[in-house]
Amino acid sequence: MAKLQARGYVLHTRAYRETSVIVEFFTPQFGRISAVAKGARGSGKSDRKSLLQPLQLLSFELAGRSQLKNLGIAEAIRNPWPLRGNCLYSAFYMNELLMRALPETEPVSLLFEQYQSSLEHLASLSENDSLVNIEPVLRSFELMLLQELGYLPDLAHDAQTGEHIDANQHYTFIAEQGFLPCPSTQAYAIQGTDLIAIEAREFTPSARKTAKHICRQALLPIIGDKPLKSRELFLSHTGQ
């Protein structure tokens, strides 16, 4: 039986048969990959159950030739990230995005690095930290996700002429096409200065709002219009 060695984060678990669970992992070498953890809900496997929690970084062994692998030995590489409040909901949002957007078994090493740095950044904030500090983390993650999937629009060039974005111009965003010049009076007109800031990952108040609009529109063809549970939790917690 073929065996694979991997490291990655637990994204999600769900019950499977009588005593097992299906674990969704996020790894740099295989992207999103599923495995059956046999007996993980049994009384004799409480140690394994405690390991298979979201935001836990593990080294583990996978066996089997089918797409759904069997989970072998699993060990914690580090303690789970100590996230609470807004920061925890933000991490759950990233997990749900990965579950909805990533195809199985496609390597995404740059996105994995961005995910880890995002968790580290969130862990450095307080549980009720302002969205001013949290939103740049989420927007940077979304932009990297779009880049890895090939859906990131060209933030630096006019999609119609190929010219560099003009700071004094306004643009409309069309998913899977890019940014086209438009009158400043048009609904959702985007300032060129915001696009330049987002390209440089400089999230001014205006750029944060614009980046949120762009990411939401660009992600729609990937994740669909079914509401994200984590987003609803986050909004109910922040009251926004």
PDB file of all heavy atoms in Angstrom, residues 79-99:
ATOM      1  N   ASN A  79       1.775  23.654  19.110  1.00  0.00           N
ATOM      2  CA  ASN A  79       0.472  23.838  19.734  1.00  0.00           C
ATOM      3  C   ASN A  79      -0.451  24.599  18.787  1.00  0.00           C
ATOM      4  O   ASN A  79       0.022  25.379  17.942  1.00  0.00           O
ATOM      5  CB  ASN A  79       0.607  24.618  21.040  1.00  0.00           C
ATOM      6  CG  ASN A  79       1.318  23.829  22.116  1.00  0.00           C
ATOM      7  OD1 ASN A  79       1.236  22.602  22.158  1.00  0.00           O
ATOM      8  ND2 ASN A  79       2.033  24.527  22.992  1.00  0.00           N
ATOM      9  N   PRO A  80      -1.768  24.387  18.909  1.00  0.00           N
ATOM     10  CA  PRO A  80      -2.696  25.152  18.065  1.00  0.00           C
ATOM     11  C   PRO A  80      -2.524  26.652  18.299  1.00  0.00           C
ATOM     12  O   PRO A  80      -2.158  27.087  19.396  1.00  0.00           O
ATOM     13  CB  PRO A  80      -4.074  24.682  18.546  1.00  0.00           C
ATOM     14  CG  PRO A  80      -3.835  23.371  19.211  1.00  0.00           C
ATOM     15  CD  PRO A  80      -2.477  23.460  19.807  1.00  0.00           C
ATOM     16  N   TRP A  81      -2.796  27.431  17.267  1.00  0.00           N
ATOM     17  CA  TRP A  81      -2.698  28.883  17.416  1.00  0.00           C
ATOM     18  C   TRP A  81      -3.737  29.361  18.434  1.00  0.00           C
ATOM     19  O   TRP A  81      -4.904  28.992  18.349  1.00  0.00           O
ATOM     20  CB  TRP A  81      -2.935  29.564  16.071  1.00  0.00           C
ATOM     21  CG  TRP A  81      -1.831  29.311  15.094  1.00  0.00           C
ATOM     22  CD1 TRP A  81      -1.805  28.369  14.099  1.00  0.00           C
ATOM     23  CD2 TRP A  81      -0.573  29.984  15.024  1.00  0.00           C
ATOM     24  NE1 TRP A  81      -0.619  28.427  13.416  1.00  0.00           N
ATOM     25  CE2 TRP A  81       0.169  29.411  13.956  1.00  0.00           C
ATOM     26  CE3 TRP A  81       0.009  31.031  15.747  1.00  0.00           C
ATOM     27  CZ2 TRP A  81       1.441  29.833  13.597  1.00  0.00           C
ATOM     28  CZ3 TRP A  81       1.283  31.455  15.394  1.00  0.00           C
ATOM     29  CH2 TRP A  81       1.983  30.865  14.331  1.00  0.00           C
ATOM     30  N   PRO A  82      -3.337  30.182  19.404  1.00  0.00           N
ATOM     31  CA  PRO A  82      -4.251  30.622  20.468  1.00  0.00           C
ATOM     32  C   PRO A  82      -5.126  31.791  20.010  1.00  0.00           C
ATOM     33  O   PRO A  82      -4.925  32.944  20.409  1.00  0.00           O
ATOM     34  CB  PRO A  82      -3.289  31.054  21.580  1.00  0.00           C
ATOM     35  CG  PRO A  82      -2.076  31.559  20.845  1.00  0.00           C
ATOM     36  CD  PRO A  82      -1.959  30.693  19.608  1.00  0.00           C
ATOM     37  N   LEU A  83      -6.108  31.491  19.183  1.00  0.00           N
ATOM     38  CA  LEU A  83      -6.959  32.541  18.622  1.00  0.00           C
ATOM     39  C   LEU A  83      -8.311  32.566  19.323  1.00  0.00           C
ATOM     40  O   LEU A  83      -8.873  31.527  19.634  1.00  0.00           O
ATOM     41  CB  LEU A  83      -7.169  32.306  17.126  1.00  0.00           C
ATOM     42  CG  LEU A  83      -5.908  32.224  16.260  1.00  0.00           C
ATOM     43  CD1 LEU A  83      -6.278  31.958  14.809  1.00  0.00           C
ATOM     44  CD2 LEU A  83      -5.077  33.487  16.378  1.00  0.00           C
ATOM     45  N   ARG A  84      -8.818  33.778  19.514  1.00  0.00           N
ATOM     46  CA  ARG A  84     -10.132  33.941  20.126  1.00  0.00           C
ATOM     47  C   ARG A  84     -10.853  35.106  19.457  1.00  0.00           C
ATOM     48  O   ARG A  84     -10.248  35.909  18.763  1.00  0.00           O
ATOM     49  CB  ARG A  84     -10.015  34.196  21.640  1.00  0.00           C
ATOM     50  CG  ARG A  84      -9.501  33.000  22.428  1.00  0.00           C
ATOM     51  CD  ARG A  84      -9.418  33.307  23.925  1.00  0.00           C
ATOM     52  NE  ARG A  84      -9.064  32.132  24.691  1.00  0.00           N
ATOM     53  CZ  ARG A  84      -7.831  31.665  24.841  1.00  0.00           C
ATOM     54  NH1 ARG A  84      -6.814  32.309  24.248  1.00  0.00           N
ATOM     55  NH2 ARG A  84      -7.586  30.590  25.556  1.00  0.00           N
ATOM     56  N   GLY A  85     -12.145  35.183  19.714  1.00  0.00           N
ATOM     57  CA  GLY A  85     -12.922  36.326  19.258  1.00  0.00           C
ATOM     58  C   GLY A  85     -12.833  36.550  17.761  1.00  0.00           C
ATOM     59  O   GLY A  85     -12.926  35.618  16.959  1.00  0.00           O
ATOM     60  N   ASN A  86     -12.671  37.810  17.377  1.00  0.00           N
ATOM     61  CA  ASN A  86     -12.621  38.175  15.959  1.00  0.00           C
ATOM     62  C   ASN A  86     -11.529  37.428  15.210  1.00  0.00           C
ATOM     63  O   ASN A  86     -11.698  37.074  14.033  1.00  0.00           O
ATOM     64  CB  ASN A  86     -12.380  39.681  15.817  1.00  0.00           C
ATOM     65  CG  ASN A  86     -13.537  40.512  16.327  1.00  0.00           C
ATOM     66  OD1 ASN A  86     -14.656  40.019  16.478  1.00  0.00           O
ATOM     67  ND2 ASN A  86     -13.279  41.785  16.604  1.00  0.00           N
ATOM     68  N   CYS A  87     -10.407  37.197  15.861  1.00  0.00           N
ATOM     69  CA  CYS A  87      -9.283  36.525  15.207  1.00  0.00           C
ATOM     70  C   CYS A  87      -9.607  35.057  14.929  1.00  0.00           C
ATOM     71  O   CYS A  87      -9.230  34.519  13.877  1.00  0.00           O
ATOM     72  CB  CYS A  87      -8.025  36.640  16.068  1.00  0.00           C
ATOM     73  SG  CYS A  87      -7.457  38.342  16.274  1.00  0.00           S
ATOM     74  N   LEU A  88     -10.315  34.412  15.838  1.00  0.00           N
ATOM     75  CA  LEU A  88     -10.707  33.022  15.633  1.00  0.00           C
ATOM     76  C   LEU A  88     -11.717  32.912  14.495  1.00  0.00           C
ATOM     77  O   LEU A  88     -11.600  32.037  13.631  1.00  0.00           O
ATOM     78  CB  LEU A  88     -11.298  32.443  16.919  1.00  0.00           C
ATOM     79  CG  LEU A  88     -11.762  30.983  16.848  1.00  0.00           C
ATOM     80  CD1 LEU A  88     -10.595  30.053  16.529  1.00  0.00           C
ATOM     81  CD2 LEU A  88     -12.429  30.568  18.170  1.00  0.00           C
ATOM     82  N   TYR A  89     -12.704  33.806  14.476  1.00  0.00           N
ATOM     83  CA  TYR A  89     -13.688  33.795  13.394  1.00  0.00           C
ATOM     84  C   TYR A  89     -13.010  34.050  12.047  1.00  0.00           C
ATOM     85  O   TYR A  89     -13.414  33.491  11.019  1.00  0.00           O
ATOM     86  CB  TYR A  89     -14.783  34.828  13.649  1.00  0.00           C
ATOM     87  CG  TYR A  89     -15.665  34.503  14.829  1.00  0.00           C
ATOM     88  CD1 TYR A  89     -15.887  35.426  15.845  1.00  0.00           C
ATOM     89  CD2 TYR A  89     -16.284  33.257  14.937  1.00  0.00           C
ATOM     90  CE1 TYR A  89     -16.689  35.133  16.928  1.00  0.00           C
ATOM     91  CE2 TYR A  89     -17.092  32.951  16.019  1.00  0.00           C
ATOM     92  CZ  TYR A  89     -17.293  33.887  17.017  1.00  0.00           C
ATOM     93  OH  TYR A  89     -18.079  33.583  18.095  1.00  0.00           O
ATOM     94  N   SER A  90     -11.984  34.891  12.047  1.00  0.00           N
ATOM     95  CA  SER A  90     -11.253  35.176  10.814  1.00  0.00           C
ATOM     96  C   SER A  90     -10.534  33.926  10.312  1.00  0.00           C
ATOM     97  O   SER A  90     -10.499  33.656   9.109  1.00  0.00           O
ATOM     98  CB  SER A  90     -10.241  36.303  11.052  1.00  0.00           C
ATOM     99  OG  SER A  90     -10.885  37.512  11.408  1.00  0.00           O
ATOM    100  N   ALA A  91      -9.959  33.165  11.235  1.00  0.00           N
ATOM    101  CA  ALA A  91      -9.283  31.920  10.853  1.00  0.00           C
ATOM    102  C   ALA A  91     -10.288  30.907  10.317  1.00  0.00           C
ATOM    103  O   ALA A  91     -10.004  30.197   9.334  1.00  0.00           O
ATOM    104  CB  ALA A  91      -8.532  31.344  12.050  1.00  0.00           C
ATOM    105  N   PHE A  92     -11.452  30.817  10.936  1.00  0.00           N
ATOM    106  CA  PHE A  92     -12.492  29.917  10.441  1.00  0.00           C
ATOM    107  C   PHE A  92     -12.940  30.334   9.039  1.00  0.00           C
ATOM    108  O   PHE A  92     -13.246  29.486   8.190  1.00  0.00           O
ATOM    109  CB  PHE A  92     -13.700  29.908  11.381  1.00  0.00           C
ATOM    110  CG  PHE A  92     -13.468  29.149  12.672  1.00  0.00           C
ATOM    111  CD1 PHE A  92     -14.291  29.355  13.765  1.00  0.00           C
ATOM    112  CD2 PHE A  92     -12.438  28.230  12.779  1.00  0.00           C
ATOM    113  CE1 PHE A  92     -14.090  28.645  14.946  1.00  0.00           C
ATOM    114  CE2 PHE A  92     -12.228  27.520  13.956  1.00  0.00           C
ATOM    115  CZ  PHE A  92     -13.051  27.727  15.040  1.00  0.00           C
ATOM    116  N   TYR A  93     -12.967  31.638   8.805  1.00  0.00           N
ATOM    117  CA  TYR A  93     -13.326  32.135   7.474  1.00  0.00           C
ATOM    118  C   TYR A  93     -12.290  31.681   6.442  1.00  0.00           C
ATOM    119  O   TYR A  93     -12.656  31.213   5.357  1.00  0.00           O
ATOM    120  CB  TYR A  93     -13.408  33.665   7.517  1.00  0.00           C
ATOM    121  CG  TYR A  93     -13.517  34.306   6.152  1.00  0.00           C
ATOM    122  CD1 TYR A  93     -14.686  34.197   5.403  1.00  0.00           C
ATOM    123  CD2 TYR A  93     -12.462  35.039   5.615  1.00  0.00           C
ATOM    124  CE1 TYR A  93     -14.795  34.782   4.156  1.00  0.00           C
ATOM    125  CE2 TYR A  93     -12.557  35.626   4.367  1.00  0.00           C
ATOM    126  CZ  TYR A  93     -13.728  35.500   3.647  1.00  0.00           C
ATOM    127  OH  TYR A  93     -13.819  36.070   2.400  1.00  0.00           O
ATOM    128  N   MET A  94     -11.014  31.781   6.757  1.00  0.00           N
ATOM    129  CA  MET A  94      -9.977  31.325   5.832  1.00  0.00           C
ATOM    130  C   MET A  94     -10.118  29.821   5.577  1.00  0.00           C
ATOM    131  O   MET A  94      -9.977  29.360   4.434  1.00  0.00           O
ATOM    132  CB  MET A  94      -8.588  31.654   6.386  1.00  0.00           C
ATOM    133  CG  MET A  94      -8.284  33.134   6.445  1.00  0.00           C
ATOM    134  SD  MET A  94      -6.516  33.497   6.730  1.00  0.00           S
ATOM    135  CE  MET A  94      -6.246  32.726   8.319  1.00  0.00           C
ATOM    136  N   ASN A  95     -10.389  29.063   6.630  1.00  0.00           N
ATOM    137  CA  ASN A  95     -10.573  27.612   6.473  1.00  0.00           C
ATOM    138  C   ASN A  95     -11.736  27.294   5.544  1.00  0.00           C
ATOM    139  O   ASN A  95     -11.642  26.407   4.684  1.00  0.00           O
ATOM    140  CB  ASN A  95     -10.809  26.959   7.835  1.00  0.00           C
ATOM    141  CG  ASN A  95      -9.529  26.776   8.634  1.00  0.00           C
ATOM    142  OD1 ASN A  95      -8.460  27.231   8.222  1.00  0.00           O
ATOM    143  ND2 ASN A  95      -9.639  26.132   9.773  1.00  0.00           N
ATOM    144  N   GLU A  96     -12.843  28.009   5.728  1.00  0.00           N
ATOM    145  CA  GLU A  96     -14.016  27.736   4.895  1.00  0.00           C
ATOM    146  C   GLU A  96     -13.754  28.125   3.442  1.00  0.00           C
ATOM    147  O   GLU A  96     -14.198  27.435   2.512  1.00  0.00           O
ATOM    148  CB  GLU A  96     -15.246  28.468   5.437  1.00  0.00           C
ATOM    149  CG  GLU A  96     -16.528  28.003   4.784  1.00  0.00           C
ATOM    150  CD  GLU A  96     -17.789  28.539   5.454  1.00  0.00           C
ATOM    151  OE1 GLU A  96     -17.678  29.394   6.361  1.00  0.00           O
ATOM    152  OE2 GLU A  96     -18.887  28.107   5.050  1.00  0.00           O
ATOM    153  N   LEU A  97     -13.019  29.205   3.232  1.00  0.00           N
ATOM    154  CA  LEU A  97     -12.641  29.586   1.867  1.00  0.00           C
ATOM    155  C   LEU A  97     -11.822  28.480   1.209  1.00  0.00           C
ATOM    156  O   LEU A  97     -12.051  28.129   0.048  1.00  0.00           O
ATOM    157  CB  LEU A  97     -11.826  30.876   1.870  1.00  0.00           C
ATOM    158  CG  LEU A  97     -12.554  32.212   1.812  1.00  0.00           C
ATOM    159  CD1 LEU A  97     -11.544  33.344   1.667  1.00  0.00           C
ATOM    160  CD2 LEU A  97     -13.564  32.260   0.680  1.00  0.00           C
ATOM    161  N   LEU A  98     -10.850  27.941   1.945  1.00  0.00           N
ATOM    162  CA  LEU A  98     -10.020  26.870   1.399  1.00  0.00           C
ATOM    163  C   LEU A  98     -10.855  25.642   1.083  1.00  0.00           C
ATOM    164  O   LEU A  98     -10.654  24.987   0.053  1.00  0.00           O
ATOM    165  CB  LEU A  98      -8.907  26.514   2.391  1.00  0.00           C
ATOM    166  CG  LEU A  98      -7.823  27.576   2.596  1.00  0.00           C
ATOM    167  CD1 LEU A  98      -6.906  27.184   3.748  1.00  0.00           C
ATOM    168  CD2 LEU A  98      -7.010  27.787   1.323  1.00  0.00           C
ATOM    169  N   MET A  99     -11.794  25.317   1.956  1.00  0.00           N
ATOM    170  CA  MET A  99     -12.656  24.157   1.728  1.00  0.00           C
ATOM    171  C   MET A  99     -13.510  24.339   0.473  1.00  0.00           C
ATOM    172  O   MET A  99     -13.717  23.398  -0.298  1.00  0.00           O
ATOM    173  CB  MET A  99     -13.564  23.937   2.941  1.00  0.00           C
ATOM    174  CG  MET A  99     -12.855  23.412   4.172  1.00  0.00           C
ATOM    175  SD  MET A  99     -12.396  21.683   4.000  1.00  0.00           S
ATOM    176  CE  MET A  99     -14.001  20.913   3.891  1.00  0.00           C
TER     177      MET A  99
END
